[in-house]
Amino acid sequence: MGGEGPTMERLIRDLLKEMGEDPAREGLEKTPTRVAKAWEYLTSGYRQNVHDVLNEALLTEEYDEMVVVKDIDFYSICEHHLLPFFGKCHIAYMPSRKIVGLTKLPRLVEMFARRLQVHERFTTQVSHTLEAVLQPRGVTVVVEALYMCMLMRGVEKQNSKAVTSAMLGAFRENAETRAEFMELIRARGGLLI
Ligand code: ZN
């Protein structure tokens, strides 16, 4: 976007030099351009907002049952190491009057994932956005992720998987509602849990 390409390319060229590489050698010649493009895509969530992603898909409906969308794949970048973390996000909410088109939930997840993130903030951003926009009786978001920064750096391998959850409203107050949701997301051949 607007002029950041060349700056980013220059920075990547400098980064390659700092690594002890020769940015002019054949294999690396186009790398700064490719990396700049990749980062533009991986951080495209900064140039989107909730309004663009959700608002046109909001419906008013008398619907009482729990709405569940599970196994939403996401890929994000940890803000501590600029390395990927990825996994699955599970969302449920108890509508009050507003519901949102189901295909929009993965897009919301994607919008927040395509920014530099930490697991906990990512989980909170998704849940708080849904709470604010839908004003549901309850919302819960569970995020399971695998951290490349842990795996690749060879540290804390046993802790490279992380699960966080946010429970709001009915999910926080009602153990039965919470259990129903956990049951639903476990009823699968889970990748990570
Ligand atoms: Zn990290």
Side-chain angles (χ1 to χ4, degrees), residues 4 33 54 89 97 148 170:
E4 85 192 7
T33 312
L54 289 187
C89 176
R97 289 190 49 223
M148 295 314 285

Side-chain angles (χ1 to χ4, degrees), residues 78 80-81 147 149:
C78 105
H80 301 138
H81 303 94
Y147 279 79
C149 55

Side-chain angles (χ1 to χ4, degrees), residues 78-85 117 147-150 153:
C78 105
E79 69 183 17
H80 301 138
H81 303 94
L82 300 188
L83 287 169
F85 70 99
Q117 278 294 5
Y147 279 79
M148 295 314 285
C149 55
M150 298 287 195
R153 295 186 312 135

Side-chain angles (χ1 to χ4, degrees), residues 140-179:
T140 184
V141 175
V142 174
V143 175
E144 325 170 52
L146 211 49
Y147 279 79
M148 295 314 285
C149 55
M150 298 287 195
L151 289 167
M152 291 177 74
R153 295 186 312 135
V155 291
E156 301 180 63
K157 277 204 166 128
Q158 68 278 22
N159 294 325
S160 60
K161 285 179 199 175
V163 182
T164 51
S165 62
M167 308 264 176
L168 303 170
F171 289 92
R172 182 189 288 263
E173 290 143 22
N174 188 333
E176 227 168 90
T177 306
R178 204 158 54 229

Side-chain angles (χ1 to χ4, degrees), residues 17 25 37 65 86 143 150 158 175 183-184 191-192:
K17 276 187 220 156
R25 73 173 171 84
K37 250 200 172 139
E65 303 294 308
F86 63 95
V143 175
M150 298 287 195
Q158 68 278 22
E183 189 78 8
L184 278 166
L191 169 72
L192 297 168

